[in-house]
Amino acid sequence: MSNIDRLTLERRVRVAARALARHGLVQAWGHCSARIDGESFLVCASKPMGTIGRDEPGTVVRVNAPLPQGVLGEVRIHQQIYRLRPDVGGVCRIMPPHLVALSTLRVVPKPRHGVGAFNANCRFWDDPRLLRDDALAAQLADRLGDAPSLVMRANGAVTVGPSIELAAGFAWCLEDAARIETLVRSVASDASVEAACLTGGEIASRQVSSGAVFERLWEYLTAGDTEAKANEGGFPDPVWGTAS
């Protein structure tokens, strides 16, 4: 990777990290990364993501090597996902409140509205432990499979995408689906809760990224960030891997 490309990737990771914090998807904990190549990736600075400063560097991590000193232990989740998923270009480890609350009930938000369709194939990890050993992280990556997201019981979630921008976009969509799930369950009977979901055909019809859907979401997520650039180039059309 050239120095210019590395600087661009550093900036994209910083902007994504701050966007996740700005919208309450992470607090003191969480991290995000972007793939460099088949052997390495760049993870954000090991600090609360909302405090990552302009021009503050991340750390290059090898996929098949011990974590560098100072890198957070759960970054091994990123290692295992990049190892198993060559299609993944970005990973976000998030702790959004509605999603965490539902996860304690072993509930994964269902696709009940438009953006909820993008995580229709979300998986569930029924283990509240921190993932600080390679074997457990590998099991989680295997459980994720080809899905764009995985909810971890009482422990947040992981989202992935072909770029860091799309991984962050899926993170926002997942928490918005959890917000709608919480609202629906607060006002509906048990029978109507089960019925109030998009059908398979409706899910497919809403998993559409044309019309600058994710570009607009990225602009919303990064509004006010002086390092952000519109239309970053991380938005393939159509978005892959969201259908069951």
PDB file of all heavy atoms in Angstrom, residues 7 26 29 33 35 37 57 59 77 86 94 109 143 145 168 174-175 192 227 232:
ATOM      1  N   LEU A   7      -2.661   6.800   4.132  1.00  0.00           N
ATOM      2  CA  LEU A   7      -3.214   7.987   4.772  1.00  0.00           C
ATOM      3  C   LEU A   7      -4.711   8.091   4.528  1.00  0.00           C
ATOM      4  O   LEU A   7      -5.472   8.481   5.421  1.00  0.00           O
ATOM      5  CB  LEU A   7      -2.500   9.242   4.268  1.00  0.00           C
ATOM      6  CG  LEU A   7      -1.039   9.400   4.682  1.00  0.00           C
ATOM      7  CD1 LEU A   7      -0.424  10.630   4.027  1.00  0.00           C
ATOM      8  CD2 LEU A   7      -0.901   9.485   6.198  1.00  0.00           C
ATOM      9  N   VAL A  26     -21.397   3.143  19.886  1.00  0.00           N
ATOM     10  CA  VAL A  26     -20.330   2.735  20.798  1.00  0.00           C
ATOM     11  C   VAL A  26     -20.245   3.783  21.900  1.00  0.00           C
ATOM     12  O   VAL A  26     -20.723   4.908  21.740  1.00  0.00           O
ATOM     13  CB  VAL A  26     -18.961   2.634  20.082  1.00  0.00           C
ATOM     14  CG1 VAL A  26     -18.970   1.529  19.046  1.00  0.00           C
ATOM     15  CG2 VAL A  26     -18.579   3.961  19.436  1.00  0.00           C
ATOM     16  N   TRP A  29     -16.355   1.676  24.803  1.00  0.00           N
ATOM     17  CA  TRP A  29     -15.845   0.453  24.192  1.00  0.00           C
ATOM     18  C   TRP A  29     -16.261   0.390  22.736  1.00  0.00           C
ATOM     19  O   TRP A  29     -17.213   1.033  22.312  1.00  0.00           O
ATOM     20  CB  TRP A  29     -16.372  -0.771  24.946  1.00  0.00           C
ATOM     21  CG  TRP A  29     -16.137  -0.648  26.414  1.00  0.00           C
ATOM     22  CD1 TRP A  29     -14.995  -0.958  27.101  1.00  0.00           C
ATOM     23  CD2 TRP A  29     -17.049  -0.120  27.390  1.00  0.00           C
ATOM     24  NE1 TRP A  29     -15.140  -0.673  28.430  1.00  0.00           N
ATOM     25  CE2 TRP A  29     -16.401  -0.156  28.640  1.00  0.00           C
ATOM     26  CE3 TRP A  29     -18.342   0.370  27.326  1.00  0.00           C
ATOM     27  CZ2 TRP A  29     -16.990   0.277  29.818  1.00  0.00           C
ATOM     28  CZ3 TRP A  29     -18.949   0.817  28.494  1.00  0.00           C
ATOM     29  CH2 TRP A  29     -18.272   0.753  29.727  1.00  0.00           C
ATOM     30  N   SER A  33     -12.384  -1.380  11.847  1.00  0.00           N
ATOM     31  CA  SER A  33     -11.174  -1.606  11.052  1.00  0.00           C
ATOM     32  C   SER A  33     -11.526  -1.672   9.578  1.00  0.00           C
ATOM     33  O   SER A  33     -12.682  -1.847   9.193  1.00  0.00           O
ATOM     34  CB  SER A  33     -10.495  -2.917  11.475  1.00  0.00           C
ATOM     35  OG  SER A  33     -11.294  -4.039  11.116  1.00  0.00           O
ATOM     36  N   ARG A  35      -9.829  -3.405   5.830  1.00  0.00           N
ATOM     37  CA  ARG A  35      -8.835  -4.306   5.248  1.00  0.00           C
ATOM     38  C   ARG A  35      -7.804  -3.518   4.440  1.00  0.00           C
ATOM     39  O   ARG A  35      -8.155  -2.593   3.689  1.00  0.00           O
ATOM     40  CB  ARG A  35      -9.518  -5.339   4.354  1.00  0.00           C
ATOM     41  CG  ARG A  35      -8.557  -6.389   3.800  1.00  0.00           C
ATOM     42  CD  ARG A  35      -9.211  -7.252   2.735  1.00  0.00           C
ATOM     43  NE  ARG A  35     -10.237  -8.141   3.258  1.00  0.00           N
ATOM     44  CZ  ARG A  35      -9.998  -9.346   3.788  1.00  0.00           C
ATOM     45  NH1 ARG A  35      -8.754  -9.785   3.911  1.00  0.00           N
ATOM     46  NH2 ARG A  35     -11.005 -10.105   4.208  1.00  0.00           N
ATOM     47  N   ASP A  37      -5.123  -5.607   2.816  1.00  0.00           N
ATOM     48  CA  ASP A  37      -4.951  -6.623   1.782  1.00  0.00           C
ATOM     49  C   ASP A  37      -5.304  -7.973   2.396  1.00  0.00           C
ATOM     50  O   ASP A  37      -5.919  -8.024   3.473  1.00  0.00           O
ATOM     51  CB  ASP A  37      -3.510  -6.620   1.234  1.00  0.00           C
ATOM     52  CG  ASP A  37      -2.459  -6.709   2.342  1.00  0.00           C
ATOM     53  OD1 ASP A  37      -2.710  -7.380   3.364  1.00  0.00           O
ATOM     54  OD2 ASP A  37      -1.380  -6.102   2.184  1.00  0.00           O
ATOM     55  N   PRO A  57      -3.313   8.162  14.267  1.00  0.00           N
ATOM     56  CA  PRO A  57      -3.158   6.911  13.518  1.00  0.00           C
ATOM     57  C   PRO A  57      -3.790   5.721  14.217  1.00  0.00           C
ATOM     58  O   PRO A  57      -3.948   5.692  15.437  1.00  0.00           O
ATOM     59  CB  PRO A  57      -1.640   6.741  13.427  1.00  0.00           C
ATOM     60  CG  PRO A  57      -1.132   7.400  14.678  1.00  0.00           C
ATOM     61  CD  PRO A  57      -2.045   8.583  14.903  1.00  0.00           C
ATOM     62  N   THR A  59      -3.586   1.199  13.979  1.00  0.00           N
ATOM     63  CA  THR A  59      -2.512   0.205  14.029  1.00  0.00           C
ATOM     64  C   THR A  59      -2.737  -0.843  12.956  1.00  0.00           C
ATOM     65  O   THR A  59      -3.860  -1.333  12.782  1.00  0.00           O
ATOM     66  CB  THR A  59      -2.481  -0.493  15.404  1.00  0.00           C
ATOM     67  OG1 THR A  59      -2.309   0.487  16.428  1.00  0.00           O
ATOM     68  CG2 THR A  59      -1.350  -1.499  15.480  1.00  0.00           C
ATOM     69  N   ILE A  77     -11.333 -10.690  16.906  1.00  0.00           N
ATOM     70  CA  ILE A  77     -12.556 -10.955  16.148  1.00  0.00           C
ATOM     71  C   ILE A  77     -12.365 -10.505  14.701  1.00  0.00           C
ATOM     72  O   ILE A  77     -12.716 -11.217  13.757  1.00  0.00           O
ATOM     73  CB  ILE A  77     -13.759 -10.223  16.779  1.00  0.00           C
ATOM     74  CG1 ILE A  77     -14.084 -10.792  18.159  1.00  0.00           C
ATOM     75  CG2 ILE A  77     -14.986 -10.309  15.864  1.00  0.00           C
ATOM     76  CD1 ILE A  77     -15.122  -9.979  18.917  1.00  0.00           C
ATOM     77  N   PRO A  86     -13.038 -13.259   2.602  1.00  0.00           N
ATOM     78  CA  PRO A  86     -12.289 -12.387   1.688  1.00  0.00           C
ATOM     79  C   PRO A  86     -13.142 -11.271   1.096  1.00  0.00           C
ATOM     80  O   PRO A  86     -12.602 -10.295   0.569  1.00  0.00           O
ATOM     81  CB  PRO A  86     -11.788 -13.350   0.604  1.00  0.00           C
ATOM     82  CG  PRO A  86     -12.681 -14.541   0.694  1.00  0.00           C
ATOM     83  CD  PRO A  86     -13.064 -14.660   2.135  1.00  0.00           C
ATOM     84  N   ILE A  94     -19.624  -3.015  17.935  1.00  0.00           N
ATOM     85  CA  ILE A  94     -20.479  -1.945  18.447  1.00  0.00           C
ATOM     86  C   ILE A  94     -21.223  -2.380  19.702  1.00  0.00           C
ATOM     87  O   ILE A  94     -21.336  -3.569  19.996  1.00  0.00           O
ATOM     88  CB  ILE A  94     -21.478  -1.483  17.371  1.00  0.00           C
ATOM     89  CG1 ILE A  94     -22.352  -2.667  16.898  1.00  0.00           C
ATOM     90  CG2 ILE A  94     -20.729  -0.856  16.193  1.00  0.00           C
ATOM     91  CD1 ILE A  94     -23.481  -2.279  15.973  1.00  0.00           C
ATOM     92  N   PRO A 109     -33.395  -8.322  16.328  1.00  0.00           N
ATOM     93  CA  PRO A 109     -34.440  -7.550  15.657  1.00  0.00           C
ATOM     94  C   PRO A 109     -34.817  -8.146  14.311  1.00  0.00           C
ATOM     95  O   PRO A 109     -33.950  -8.548  13.528  1.00  0.00           O
ATOM     96  CB  PRO A 109     -33.810  -6.160  15.503  1.00  0.00           C
ATOM     97  CG  PRO A 109     -32.350  -6.358  15.658  1.00  0.00           C
ATOM     98  CD  PRO A 109     -32.194  -7.518  16.592  1.00  0.00           C
ATOM     99  N   ARG A 143     -19.687 -18.573  13.159  1.00  0.00           N
ATOM    100  CA  ARG A 143     -21.118 -18.378  13.381  1.00  0.00           C
ATOM    101  C   ARG A 143     -21.660 -17.237  12.522  1.00  0.00           C
ATOM    102  O   ARG A 143     -22.780 -17.311  12.008  1.00  0.00           O
ATOM    103  CB  ARG A 143     -21.377 -18.081  14.866  1.00  0.00           C
ATOM    104  CG  ARG A 143     -22.825 -17.764  15.216  1.00  0.00           C
ATOM    105  CD  ARG A 143     -23.752 -18.903  14.875  1.00  0.00           C
ATOM    106  NE  ARG A 143     -25.145 -18.560  15.117  1.00  0.00           N
ATOM    107  CZ  ARG A 143     -26.172 -19.101  14.462  1.00  0.00           C
ATOM    108  NH1 ARG A 143     -25.950 -20.031  13.539  1.00  0.00           N
ATOM    109  NH2 ARG A 143     -27.403 -18.737  14.729  1.00  0.00           N
ATOM    110  N   GLY A 145     -20.743 -16.529   9.581  1.00  0.00           N
ATOM    111  CA  GLY A 145     -20.948 -17.088   8.250  1.00  0.00           C
ATOM    112  C   GLY A 145     -20.882 -16.010   7.190  1.00  0.00           C
ATOM    113  O   GLY A 145     -19.991 -15.164   7.195  1.00  0.00           O
ATOM    114  N   ALA A 168     -20.178   0.345   8.782  1.00  0.00           N
ATOM    115  CA  ALA A 168     -20.753   1.333   9.688  1.00  0.00           C
ATOM    116  C   ALA A 168     -22.214   1.584   9.361  1.00  0.00           C
ATOM    117  O   ALA A 168     -23.053   1.757  10.259  1.00  0.00           O
ATOM    118  CB  ALA A 168     -19.963   2.637   9.610  1.00  0.00           C
ATOM    119  N   LEU A 174     -28.780  -1.757  11.883  1.00  0.00           N
ATOM    120  CA  LEU A 174     -29.082  -2.799  12.859  1.00  0.00           C
ATOM    121  C   LEU A 174     -29.658  -2.205  14.138  1.00  0.00           C
ATOM    122  O   LEU A 174     -30.648  -2.714  14.681  1.00  0.00           O
ATOM    123  CB  LEU A 174     -27.813  -3.603  13.163  1.00  0.00           C
ATOM    124  CG  LEU A 174     -27.963  -4.812  14.083  1.00  0.00           C
ATOM    125  CD1 LEU A 174     -28.932  -5.846  13.505  1.00  0.00           C
ATOM    126  CD2 LEU A 174     -26.607  -5.456  14.357  1.00  0.00           C
ATOM    127  N   GLU A 175     -29.066  -1.127  14.631  1.00  0.00           N
ATOM    128  CA  GLU A 175     -29.612  -0.498  15.829  1.00  0.00           C
ATOM    129  C   GLU A 175     -30.964   0.144  15.553  1.00  0.00           C
ATOM    130  O   GLU A 175     -31.845   0.130  16.422  1.00  0.00           O
ATOM    131  CB  GLU A 175     -28.627   0.542  16.373  1.00  0.00           C
ATOM    132  CG  GLU A 175     -29.152   1.403  17.525  1.00  0.00           C
ATOM    133  CD  GLU A 175     -29.490   0.644  18.816  1.00  0.00           C
ATOM    134  OE1 GLU A 175     -29.387  -0.609  18.832  1.00  0.00           O
ATOM    135  OE2 GLU A 175     -29.860   1.313  19.799  1.00  0.00           O
ATOM    136  N   SER A 192     -49.695 -10.197  17.120  1.00  0.00           N
ATOM    137  CA  SER A 192     -49.431  -9.178  16.107  1.00  0.00           C
ATOM    138  C   SER A 192     -47.940  -8.891  15.978  1.00  0.00           C
ATOM    139  O   SER A 192     -47.470  -8.497  14.910  1.00  0.00           O
ATOM    140  CB  SER A 192     -50.205  -7.897  16.416  1.00  0.00           C
ATOM    141  OG  SER A 192     -49.866  -7.392  17.696  1.00  0.00           O
ATOM    142  N   GLU A 227     -12.955  15.708   8.680  1.00  0.00           N
ATOM    143  CA  GLU A 227     -12.154  14.809   7.850  1.00  0.00           C
ATOM    144  C   GLU A 227     -12.999  14.003   6.871  1.00  0.00           C
ATOM    145  O   GLU A 227     -12.459  13.284   6.028  1.00  0.00           O
ATOM    146  CB  GLU A 227     -11.356  13.842   8.719  1.00  0.00           C
ATOM    147  CG  GLU A 227     -10.153  14.436   9.399  1.00  0.00           C
ATOM    148  CD  GLU A 227      -9.208  13.373   9.911  1.00  0.00           C
ATOM    149  OE1 GLU A 227      -9.557  12.709  10.909  1.00  0.00           O
ATOM    150  OE2 GLU A 227      -8.132  13.195   9.308  1.00  0.00           O
ATOM    151  N   GLU A 232     -17.342   8.538  -0.694  1.00  0.00           N
ATOM    152  CA  GLU A 232     -15.986   8.040  -0.451  1.00  0.00           C
ATOM    153  C   GLU A 232     -15.572   6.961  -1.433  1.00  0.00           C
ATOM    154  O   GLU A 232     -14.405   6.712  -1.643  1.00  0.00           O
ATOM    155  CB  GLU A 232     -15.905   7.508   0.983  1.00  0.00           C
ATOM    156  CG  GLU A 232     -14.516   7.167   1.463  1.00  0.00           C
ATOM    157  CD  GLU A 232     -13.662   8.394   1.714  1.00  0.00           C
ATOM    158  OE1 GLU A 232     -14.006   9.192   2.590  1.00  0.00           O
ATOM    159  OE2 GLU A 232     -12.657   8.551   1.010  1.00  0.00           O
TER     160      GLU A 232
END
